[in-house]
Amino acid sequence: MKLLLKVSFRYGIVAGFLSIVLLLTLFYLDRHPFMIAPFLDFRILLFGILIFFSLKEFRDYHQDGILYFWQGMIGSAVIVFTALILSSIGLQIFGMAQPDFVTSYVTQATTYLKTIPQETIEQIGKENYERNLKDLSSTNMSMLTITYFIHGIVIGFFVSIILSVILRKQPKN
């Protein structure tokens, strides 16, 4: 168990630093990271690659080719939470140092919401639409960081399940 945590933690640190780099790169390329659809989030690929190699390393080099589902889930959780904690701290620090990060998001999100067709507004409800538009003005860096962390947990959970099932190997009787 200790070895699983050690291997996973190492990959989690790498994922955290890569997440920070990707967040900053997207921002400076004028693609605000919070304006990208959740199903296109870079963390899906990042978590997928690093969880895969971490579990494969643990299974093949430390477990004689055996990996149980629960080991995959624990290793994946360590990677995801380590990466999210590091990247959330980095995001919070960057957002506080670069106030344009929040204002850019608010501007882009407001512009996007104003382009939503009237039929879609009626489907989601005019009150919900107006509330979301109004709430954008009170958005702050802490709210964005919490949103980033929660979305990361959801993404990481589904990637973890898929890879833990794919990579599991139990001993032959």
Side-chain angles (χ1 to χ4, degrees):
M1 181 65 132
K2 184 178 177 183
L3 199 51
L4 173 64
L5 298 177
K6 182 180 173 184
V7 170
S8 299
F9 186 68
R10 188 176 70 234
Y11 279 87
I13 290 171
V14 171
F17 284 114
L18 286 174
S19 292
I20 293 168
V21 168
L22 289 169
L23 284 166
L24 299 180
T25 302
L26 284 170
F27 177 70
Y28 285 116
L29 290 174
D30 288 330
R31 288 283 307 164
H32 201 286
F34 288 89
M35 292 302 297
I36 296 173
F39 53 87
L40 296 175
D41 195 308
F42 68 85
R43 291 174 290 181
I44 296 170
L45 187 59
L46 181 67
F47 287 163
I49 291 170
L50 291 173
I51 289 171
F52 176 82
F53 284 111
S54 172
L55 296 180
K56 188 167 176 14
E57 176 184 326
F58 178 71
R59 181 191 73 191
D60 294 346
Y61 298 112
H62 304 292
Q63 288 287 108
D64 298 323
I66 296 170
L67 180 75
Y68 295 100
F69 176 76
W70 65 269
Q71 290 172 319
M73 289 301 291
I74 289 173
S76 298
V78 170
I79 293 169
V80 169
F81 279 100
T82 302
L84 288 174
I85 289 168
L86 281 175
S87 58
S88 293
I89 290 169
L91 179 63
Q92 185 72 29
I93 292 169
F94 176 73
M96 293 167 64
Q98 176 65 276
D100 201 32
F101 188 82
V102 176
T103 55
S104 169
Y105 168 73
V106 170
T107 303
Q108 289 180 32
T110 302
T111 303
Y112 171 75
L113 285 175
K114 289 183 178 180
T115 63
I116 293 177
Q118 190 62 36
E119 303 85 43
T120 307
I121 293 172
E122 290 171 8
Q123 289 175 345
I124 61 173
K126 190 152 180 75
E127 301 83 28
N128 288 333
Y129 171 79
E130 290 173 357
R131 180 177 34 92
N132 288 339
L133 196 57
K134 187 178 120 265
D135 289 348
L136 269 176
S137 62
S138 64
T139 300
N140 60 39
M141 195 59 222
S142 295
M143 293 168 71
L144 292 178
T145 303
I146 290 168
T147 301
Y148 175 80
F149 192 86
I150 292 170
H151 287 176
I153 289 172
V154 173
I155 291 167
F157 178 71
F158 287 110
V159 171
S160 297
I161 289 174
I162 292 166
L163 289 175
S164 293
V165 167
I166 291 171
L167 291 172
R168 77 168 185 230
K169 283 191 180 175
Q170 297 179 349
K172 305 275 189 228
N173 288 334

